[in-house]
Coordinates of all heavy atoms in Angstrom, one line a residue:
N1229 N 92.5 144.7 126.0 CA 92.6 143.8 127.2 C 93.5 144.5 128.2 O 94.6 145.0 127.9 CB 93.3 142.5 126.7 CG 92.3 141.6 125.9 OD1 91.1 141.9 125.9 ND2 92.9 140.6 125.3
I1230 N 93.0 144.4 129.5 CA 93.8 144.9 130.6 C 94.1 143.7 131.6 O 95.1 143.8 132.3 CB 93.2 146.0 131.4 CG1 91.8 145.7 131.9 CG2 93.2 147.3 130.5 CD1 91.3 146.7 132.9
A1231 N 93.3 142.7 131.5 CA 93.5 141.5 132.3 C 93.0 140.3 131.6 O 92.0 140.4 130.8 CB 92.8 141.6 133.7
F1232 N 93.7 139.2 131.7 CA 93.4 138.0 130.9 C 93.7 136.7 131.6 O 94.7 136.7 132.3 CB 94.2 138.1 129.6 CG 94.0 137.0 128.6 CD1 92.9 137.0 127.8 CD2 94.9 136.0 128.5 CE1 92.7 136.0 126.8 CE2 94.7 135.0 127.6 CZ 93.6 135.0 126.8
V1233 N 92.9 135.7 131.5 CA 93.1 134.4 132.1 C 92.7 133.4 131.0 O 91.7 133.5 130.3 CB 92.4 134.2 133.4 CG1 90.9 134.1 133.3 CG2 92.9 132.9 134.1
E1234 N 93.5 132.3 130.9 CA 93.2 131.2 130.0 C 93.3 129.9 130.7 O 94.2 129.7 131.5 CB 94.2 131.3 128.8 CG 93.9 130.2 127.8 CD 94.8 130.4 126.5 OE1 95.7 131.3 126.6 OE2 94.6 129.7 125.6
M1235 N 92.3 129.0 130.5 CA 92.4 127.7 131.0 C 92.3 126.7 129.9 O 91.3 126.7 129.2 CB 91.2 127.5 132.0 CG 91.1 126.1 132.6 SD 89.7 125.8 133.6 CE 90.3 126.2 135.2
E1236 N 93.3 125.8 129.8 CA 93.2 124.8 128.7 C 93.1 123.4 129.3 O 93.1 122.5 128.5 CB 94.5 125.0 127.8 CG 94.5 126.3 127.1 CD 95.6 126.3 126.0 OE1 96.1 125.2 125.7 OE2 96.0 127.4 125.6
A1237 N 93.0 123.3 130.6 CA 92.9 122.0 131.2 C 91.5 121.5 131.0 O 90.6 122.2 130.7 CB 93.2 122.1 132.7
A1238 N 91.4 120.1 131.1 CA 90.1 119.5 131.0 C 89.1 120.0 132.0 O 89.5 120.4 133.1 CB 90.2 118.0 131.1
A1239 N 87.8 120.0 131.7 CA 86.8 120.4 132.7 C 86.8 119.5 133.9 O 87.3 118.4 133.9 CB 85.4 120.3 132.0
F1240 N 86.4 120.1 135.1 CA 86.3 119.4 136.3 C 85.3 118.2 136.2 O 84.5 118.1 135.2 CB 85.9 120.3 137.5 CG 87.0 121.3 137.8 CD1 86.9 122.6 137.3 CD2 88.1 120.9 138.4 CE1 87.9 123.5 137.6 CE2 89.1 121.8 138.7 CZ 89.0 123.2 138.3
D1241 N 85.2 117.4 137.2 CA 84.3 116.2 137.2 C 82.9 116.6 137.0 O 82.1 115.8 136.5 CB 84.4 115.4 138.5 CG 85.8 114.7 138.6 OD1 86.4 114.5 137.6 OD2 86.2 114.4 139.7
T1242 N 82.5 117.8 137.4 CA 81.1 118.3 137.2 C 80.9 118.9 135.9 O 79.8 119.5 135.6 CB 80.8 119.3 138.3 OG1 81.7 120.4 138.2 CG2 80.9 118.7 139.7
N1243 N 81.8 118.8 135.0 CA 81.7 119.3 133.6 C 81.7 120.8 133.6 O 81.1 121.4 132.7 CB 80.5 118.7 132.9 CG 80.7 117.3 132.6 OD1 81.8 116.8 132.3 ND2 79.7 116.5 132.7
T1244 N 82.3 121.4 134.6 CA 82.4 122.9 134.7 C 83.8 123.3 134.7 O 84.7 122.6 135.2 CB 81.6 123.5 135.9 OG1 82.3 123.0 137.1 CG2 80.2 123.1 135.9
S1245 N 84.1 124.5 134.2 CA 85.5 125.0 134.3 C 85.4 126.5 134.8 O 85.2 127.4 134.0 CB 86.1 125.1 132.9 OG 86.2 123.8 132.4
P1246 N 85.4 126.6 136.1 CA 85.3 128.0 136.7 C 86.5 128.8 136.4 O 87.6 128.4 136.4 CB 85.1 127.7 138.2 CG 85.8 126.4 138.4 CD 85.6 125.6 137.1
L1247 N 86.2 130.1 136.0 CA 87.3 131.1 135.8 C 87.0 132.3 136.6 O 85.8 132.7 136.7 CB 87.3 131.5 134.3 CG 87.8 130.4 133.3 CD1 87.6 130.9 131.9 CD2 89.2 130.0 133.6
A1248 N 88.0 132.9 137.2 CA 87.9 134.1 138.0 C 89.0 135.0 137.6 O 90.1 134.6 137.3 CB 87.9 133.8 139.5
L1249 N 88.7 136.3 137.6 CA 89.7 137.3 137.2 C 89.5 138.6 137.9 O 88.3 139.0 138.0 CB 89.6 137.5 135.7 CG 90.6 138.5 135.0 CD1 92.0 138.0 135.1 CD2 90.2 138.5 133.5
A1250 N 90.5 139.2 138.5 CA 90.4 140.5 139.2 C 91.6 141.4 138.8 O 92.7 140.9 138.6 CB 90.3 140.3 140.7
T1251 N 91.3 142.7 138.8 CA 92.4 143.6 138.5 C 92.0 145.0 139.1 O 90.8 145.3 139.4 CB 92.6 143.8 137.0 OG1 93.8 144.6 136.8 CG2 91.5 144.3 136.3
L1252 N 93.0 145.9 139.3 CA 92.8 147.3 139.7 C 93.2 148.1 138.5 O 94.3 147.9 137.9 CB 93.6 147.6 140.9 CG 93.2 147.0 142.2 CD1 94.2 147.4 143.3 CD2 91.8 147.4 142.6
E1253 N 92.4 149.1 138.2 CA 92.7 149.9 137.0 C 92.3 151.3 137.2 O 91.2 151.6 137.8 CB 91.9 149.3 135.8 CG 92.1 150.0 134.5 CD 93.5 149.7 133.9 OE1 94.2 148.8 134.3 OE2 94.0 150.5 133.0
V1254 N 93.1 152.3 136.8 CA 92.8 153.7 136.9 C 91.9 154.0 135.7 O 92.1 153.6 134.6 CB 94.1 154.6 136.8 CG1 93.8 156.0 136.8 CG2 95.0 154.3 138.0
A1255 N 90.8 154.8 136.0 CA 89.8 155.1 135.0 C 89.4 156.5 135.1 O 89.5 157.1 136.2 CB 88.7 154.1 135.1
V1256 N 88.9 157.0 134.0 CA 88.2 158.3 134.0 C 86.8 158.2 133.6 O 86.4 157.1 133.1 CB 89.0 159.3 133.0 CG1 90.4 159.6 133.5 CG2 89.0 158.8 131.6
A1257 N 86.0 159.2 133.6 CA 84.5 159.1 133.4 C 84.2 158.6 132.0 O 83.1 158.0 131.9 CB 83.9 160.5 133.6
T1258 N 85.0 158.8 131.0 CA 84.7 158.3 129.7 C 85.1 156.9 129.4 O 84.9 156.4 128.3 CB 85.3 159.3 128.6 OG1 86.7 159.4 128.8 CG2 84.7 160.7 128.8
D1259 N 85.8 156.2 130.3 CA 86.3 154.9 130.1 C 85.1 153.9 130.2 O 84.1 154.2 130.9 CB 87.3 154.5 131.1 CG 88.7 155.1 130.9 OD1 89.0 155.5 129.7 OD2 89.4 155.3 131.9
Y1260 N 85.2 152.8 129.5 CA 84.2 151.7 129.6 C 84.8 150.4 129.8 O 86.0 150.2 129.2 CB 83.1 151.7 128.5 CG 83.7 151.4 127.1 CD1 83.6 150.0 126.7 CD2 84.2 152.3 126.3 CE1 84.1 149.7 125.5 CE2 84.7 152.0 125.1 CZ 84.7 150.7 124.6 OH 85.2 150.3 123.4
F1261 N 84.2 149.5 130.5 CA 84.8 148.2 130.7 C 83.8 147.1 130.3 O 82.6 147.3 130.3 CB 85.0 148.0 132.2 CG 86.1 148.9 132.8 CD1 85.8 150.2 133.2 CD2 87.4 148.4 132.9 CE1 86.8 151.0 133.7 CE2 88.4 149.3 133.4 CZ 88.1 150.5 133.8
D1262 N 84.3 146.0 129.8 CA 83.5 144.8 129.5 C 84.2 143.6 129.8 O 85.4 143.6 130.0 CB 82.9 144.9 128.1 CG 84.0 145.0 127.0 OD1 85.2 145.1 127.3 OD2 83.6 144.9 125.8
V1263 N 83.5 142.5 129.8 CA 84.1 141.1 130.1 C 83.8 140.3 128.8 O 82.7 140.3 128.3 CB 83.4 140.5 131.3 CG1 84.0 139.0 131.4 CG2 83.7 141.2 132.5
V1264 N 84.8 139.6 128.3 CA 84.7 138.8 127.1 C 85.1 137.4 127.5 O 86.2 137.2 128.1 CB 85.6 139.4 126.0 CG1 85.5 138.5 124.8 CG2 85.3 140.8 125.7
A1265 N 84.3 136.4 127.1 CA 84.6 135.0 127.3 C 84.7 134.4 125.9 O 83.9 134.7 125.0 CB 83.5 134.3 128.1
Y1266 N 85.6 133.4 125.7 CA 85.8 132.8 124.4 C 86.1 131.3 124.7 O 86.9 131.0 125.6 CB 87.0 133.4 123.7 CG 87.3 132.7 122.4 CD1 86.5 132.8 121.3 CD2 88.5 131.9 122.3 CE1 86.9 132.2 120.1 CE2 88.8 131.2 121.2 CZ 88.0 131.4 120.1 OH 88.3 130.7 118.9
Q1267 N 85.6 130.4 123.9 CA 85.9 129.0 124.0 C 86.0 128.4 122.6 O 85.2 128.9 121.7 CB 85.0 128.2 124.9 CG 83.5 128.1 124.4 CD 83.3 127.0 123.4 OE1 84.1 126.0 123.4 NE2 82.3 127.0 122.6
D1268 N 86.9 127.5 122.4 CA 87.0 126.9 121.0 C 87.1 125.4 121.1 O 87.9 124.7 120.5 CB 88.2 127.5 120.3 CG 89.5 127.1 120.9 OD1 89.5 126.6 122.0 OD2 90.6 127.5 120.3
S1269 N 86.2 124.8 121.9 CA 86.2 123.3 122.1 C 85.6 122.6 120.9 O 85.7 121.4 120.8 CB 85.3 123.0 123.4 OG 84.0 123.3 123.1
G1270 N 85.0 123.3 120.0 CA 84.3 122.7 118.9 C 82.8 122.5 119.0 O 82.2 122.1 118.1
G1271 N 82.3 122.7 120.2 CA 80.9 122.6 120.4 C 80.4 123.8 121.2 O 81.1 124.5 121.8
A1272 N 79.0 123.9 121.2 CA 78.4 125.0 122.0 C 78.5 124.7 123.5 O 78.2 123.6 123.9 CB 77.0 125.2 121.5
L1273 N 78.9 125.7 124.2 CA 78.9 125.6 125.7 C 78.1 126.8 126.3 O 78.0 127.8 125.7 CB 80.4 125.7 126.2 CG 81.3 124.6 125.7 CD1 82.7 124.9 126.2 CD2 80.8 123.2 126.1
N1274 N 77.6 126.5 127.5 CA 76.7 127.5 128.1 C 77.3 128.0 129.4 O 78.0 127.2 130.1 CB 75.3 126.9 128.3 CG 74.6 126.6 127.1 OD1 74.6 127.3 126.1 ND2 74.0 125.4 127.0
L1275 N 76.9 129.2 129.8 CA 77.2 129.6 131.2 C 76.1 129.0 132.1 O 75.0 128.9 131.7 CB 77.0 131.2 131.3 CG 78.1 132.0 130.6 CD1 77.8 133.5 130.7 CD2 79.5 131.7 131.3
I1276 N 76.6 128.6 133.3 CA 75.6 127.9 134.2 C 75.0 129.0 135.1 O 75.7 129.9 135.6 CB 76.4 126.9 135.1 CG1 76.9 125.8 134.2 CG2 75.4 126.4 136.2 CD1 77.8 124.8 135.0
T1277 N 73.7 129.0 135.2 CA 73.0 130.0 136.1 C 72.1 129.2 136.9 O 71.7 128.1 136.7 CB 72.2 131.0 135.2 OG1 71.3 130.4 134.4 CG2 73.2 131.8 134.4
G1278 N 71.6 129.8 138.0 CA 70.7 129.2 138.9 C 71.2 129.1 140.3 O 72.2 129.8 140.6
A1279 N 70.6 128.3 141.2 CA 71.0 128.2 142.6 C 72.5 127.9 142.7 O 73.0 126.9 142.2 CB 70.2 127.2 143.3
G1280 N 73.2 128.8 143.3 CA 74.6 128.6 143.6 C 75.6 129.0 142.4 O 76.8 128.9 142.6
Y1281 N 75.0 129.4 141.3 CA 75.8 129.8 140.2 C 75.3 131.2 139.7 O 74.1 131.4 139.5 CB 75.6 128.9 139.0 CG 76.2 127.5 139.3 CD1 75.3 126.5 139.7 CD2 77.5 127.2 139.2 CE1 75.8 125.2 140.0 CE2 78.0 125.9 139.5 CZ 77.1 124.9 139.9 OH 77.6 123.7 140.2
A1282 N 76.2 132.1 139.6 CA 75.8 133.5 139.2 C 76.9 134.2 138.5 O 77.8 134.8 139.1 CB 75.3 134.3 140.4
P1283 N 77.0 134.1 137.1 CA 78.0 134.8 136.4 C 77.8 136.3 136.7 O 76.7 136.8 136.6 CB 77.8 134.5 134.9 CG 76.9 133.3 134.9 CD 76.2 133.3 136.2
F1284 N 78.9 137.0 137.1 CA 78.7 138.4 137.3 C 80.0 139.2 137.1 O 81.1 138.7 137.0 CB 78.2 138.7 138.8 CG 79.3 138.3 139.8 CD1 80.1 139.3 140.3 CD2 79.4 137.0 140.3 CE1 81.1 139.0 141.3 CE2 80.3 136.7 141.3 CZ 81.2 137.7 141.8
F1285 N 79.8 140.5 136.9 CA 80.9 141.5 136.7 C 80.6 142.6 137.7 O 79.5 143.1 137.8 CB 80.8 142.0 135.3 CG 81.8 143.1 135.0 CD1 83.1 142.8 135.0 CD2 81.4 144.4 134.7 CE1 84.1 143.8 134.7 CE2 82.2 145.4 134.4 CZ 83.6 145.1 134.4
C1286 N 81.6 142.9 138.5 CA 81.5 143.9 139.5 C 82.6 144.9 139.4 O 83.7 144.6 139.1 CB 81.5 143.2 140.9 SG 81.4 144.4 142.3
I1287 N 82.2 146.2 139.5 CA 83.2 147.3 139.4 C 82.9 148.3 140.6 O 81.8 148.4 141.0 CB 83.1 148.0 138.1 CG1 84.3 148.9 137.9 CG2 81.9 148.7 137.9 CD1 84.5 149.3 136.4
A1288 N 84.0 148.8 141.2 CA 83.8 149.8 142.3 C 84.7 151.0 142.1 O 85.8 150.9 141.7 CB 84.1 149.1 143.6
Y1289 N 84.2 152.1 142.4 CA 84.9 153.4 142.4 C 85.6 153.5 143.8 O 85.0 153.5 144.8 CB 84.0 154.6 142.2 CG 84.7 155.9 142.3 CD1 85.6 156.2 141.3 CD2 84.4 156.8 143.3 CE1 86.3 157.5 141.3 CE2 85.0 158.0 143.4 CZ 86.0 158.4 142.4 OH 86.6 159.5 142.4
L1290 N 86.9 153.6 143.8 CA 87.7 153.6 145.0 C 88.1 155.0 145.4 O 88.9 155.2 146.4 CB 89.0 152.7 144.9 CG 88.7 151.3 144.6 CD1 90.0 150.5 144.4 CD2 87.9 150.6 145.7

Side-chain angles (χ1 to χ4, degrees):
N1229 288 347
I1230 58 170
F1232 179 80
V1233 66
E1234 182 173 6
M1235 175 186 268
E1236 294 189 19
F1240 292 103
D1241 292 339
T1242 58
N1243 293 322
T1244 62
S1245 296
L1247 293 174
L1249 183 59
T1251 187
L1252 294 175
E1253 184 69 20
V1254 176
V1256 297
T1258 57
D1259 289 333
Y1260 67 92
F1261 294 85
D1262 57 354
V1263 175
V1264 178
Y1266 174 77
Q1267 67 85 17
D1268 63 355
S1269 68
L1273 300 177
N1274 298 314
L1275 289 176
I1276 298 174
T1277 60
Y1281 298 98
F1284 68 93
F1285 175 67
C1286 180
I1287 192 165
Y1289 177 68
L1290 301 178

